[in-house]
Amino acid sequence: MGGGNKVPAAVRRSAEYAQAWTCDPLPATPEAFAADAQAYRDRAAELGKRPFVVLMRDGWVADSLAEAAAVFGEHYARMVRFYLRNEGASRAQAFAGPGDVTATAVAPYTLMGPARDCVGQLRRLHEEQGVDYVVFCCRLSTGPSMEATAEQIRRFGEEVVAPIHARYPAPDHPAIPPACRW
């Protein structure tokens, strides 16, 4: 895998030194993400590599967005505020500063809410933004609890992953570890 989305040069280096570009989960504007993804794809093509865009996404499947925001949203918002305070707003971030970040405001940059909404967002990420693979995280250093997280993993697998796997063929790319193939 390869990461790097702080600066355009890091995005291009992902194509040079890695099998994929892994974009971190911090909220980026759609325009910044599209520009970085295209820069990565262009550099990979120049090098004769097959591009593979991996997007990290945090979230929580619940019966409603309000429930997901109550259980998970503040944990994610706290992380975003931490990075904004300590690294400052970059050219790509969707929030100008920590004061703009709330559990509700971060929702569009997560997989949070009812399963059908999470499936829809994954479809849009793939079909409209060219995301090839998503790494999902449902627990941060501040929570939710390990018990709730274990149940969330089961729920996410049954209600979100299963419909995605039914819709799309398994990706075949050297960036995907064998244990992560279906």
Side-chain angles (χ1 to χ4, degrees), residues 19 50 172-177 181:
Q19 294 289 337
R50 186 169 49 139
D172 179 29
H173 194 277
I176 302 172
R181 295 173 188 257

Side-chain angles (χ1 to χ4, degrees), residues 67-92:
E67 179 186 342
V71 173
F72 184 80
E74 185 51 39
H75 296 288
Y76 182 71
R78 185 178 298 133
M79 180 192 70
V80 172
R81 287 191 296 267
F82 170 84
Y83 283 105
L84 284 172
R85 278 193 309 274
N86 291 288
E87 295 182 7
S90 74
R91 65 182 177 75

Side-chain angles (χ1 to χ4, degrees), residues 123-142:
R123 289 177 61 191
R124 285 187 300 281
L125 287 168
H126 178 67
E127 294 172 7
E128 296 171 14
Q129 295 181 295
V131 172
D132 297 301
Y133 200 81
V134 172
V135 175
F136 179 71
C137 175
C138 57
R139 185 168 195 285
L140 300 168
S141 61
T142 59

Side-chain angles (χ1 to χ4, degrees), residues 4-173:
N5 52 304
K6 255 327 217 185
V7 296
V11 173
R12 290 177 54 83
R13 276 194 301 272
S14 290
E16 295 167 13
Y17 297 109
Q19 294 289 337
W21 174 53
T22 304
C23 184
D24 74 32
L26 293 178
T29 63
E31 299 80 14
F33 176 81
D36 285 348
Q38 192 58 53
Y40 160 75
R41 288 183 189 104
D42 290 346
R43 183 64 180 143
E46 288 171 17
L47 298 168
K49 292 183 174 183
R50 186 169 49 139
F52 197 73
V53 175
V54 178
L55 180 61
M56 298 170 70
R57 271 293 183 252
D58 296 276
W60 197 264
V61 179
D63 293 337
S64 69
L65 177 57
E67 179 186 342
V71 173
F72 184 80
E74 185 51 39
H75 296 288
Y76 182 71
R78 185 178 298 133
M79 180 192 70
V80 172
R81 287 191 296 267
F82 170 84
Y83 283 105
L84 284 172
R85 278 193 309 274
N86 291 288
E87 295 182 7
S90 74
R91 65 182 177 75
Q93 289 173 338
F95 300 102
D100 298 335
V101 180
T102 65
T104 305
V106 297
Y109 306 97
T110 65
L111 294 172
M112 220 167 42
R116 70 181 176 281
D117 295 350
C118 294
V119 169
Q121 185 173 359
L122 286 171
R123 289 177 61 191
R124 285 187 300 281
L125 287 168
H126 178 67
E127 294 172 7
E128 296 171 14
Q129 295 181 295
V131 172
D132 297 301
Y133 200 81
V134 172
V135 175
F136 179 71
C137 175
C138 57
R139 185 168 195 285
L140 300 168
S141 61
T142 59
S145 72
M146 292 299 282
E147 295 78 18
T149 300
E151 172 58 23
Q152 181 61 200
I153 292 168
R154 182 204 58 77
R155 185 172 185 181
F156 188 78
E158 290 175 3
E159 298 179 28
V160 178
V161 174
I164 291 295
H165 283 190
R167 180 176 178 89
Y168 301 104
D172 179 29
H173 194 277

